[in-house]
């Protein structure tokens, strides 16, 4: 659910792979039965990143995760995103 939980998972040697959720069965390629999925990926705040709802819907969840993680990293290091322009 957040960066701290992700790091705990890694440091504890955990595994994020699980059985496919039922709604994803129609989308599964071949015999794929397990995968690592992001919970609550729809909670992405597109407006915060000035991304239209339509564009956000088409984005790969990994792109959304990269944006959010990068923003958190900048905040934690006290770097102003505006200074990077």
């Amino acid at each position: 659910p957040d960066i701290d939980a992700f790091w705990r998972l890694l440091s504890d040697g955990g595994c994020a792979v699980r059985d496919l959720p039922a709604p994803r069965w129609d989308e599964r390629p071949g015999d794929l039965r397990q995968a690592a999925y992001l919970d609550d990926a729809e909670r992405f705040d597109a407006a915060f990143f000035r991304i239209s709802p339509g564009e956000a819907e088409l984005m790969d969840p990994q792109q959304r995760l990269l944006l959010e993680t990068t923003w958190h990293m900048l905040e934690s290091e006290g770097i102003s995103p505006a200074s990077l322009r």
Side-chain angles (χ1 to χ4, degrees), residues 18-42 57 59-62 64:
R18 60 183 184 223
D19 290 335
L20 272 145
R24 302 298 298 257
W25 279 105
D26 292 338
E27 301 173 20
R28 70 181 177 89
D31 291 329
L32 181 67
R33 300 270 184 230
Q34 294 182 322
Y37 284 96
L38 291 174
D39 291 323
D40 301 325
E42 69 279 355
E57 195 171 310
M59 287 176 72
D60 186 308
Q62 292 179 49
R64 299 187 301 232

Side-chain angles (χ1 to χ4, degrees), residues 65-83:
L65 185 61
L66 176 64
L67 282 171
E68 290 174 332
T69 303
T70 301
W71 188 267
H72 287 294
M73 182 273 310
L74 292 171
E75 281 184 329
S76 71
E77 296 300 318
I79 299 171
S80 167
S83 72

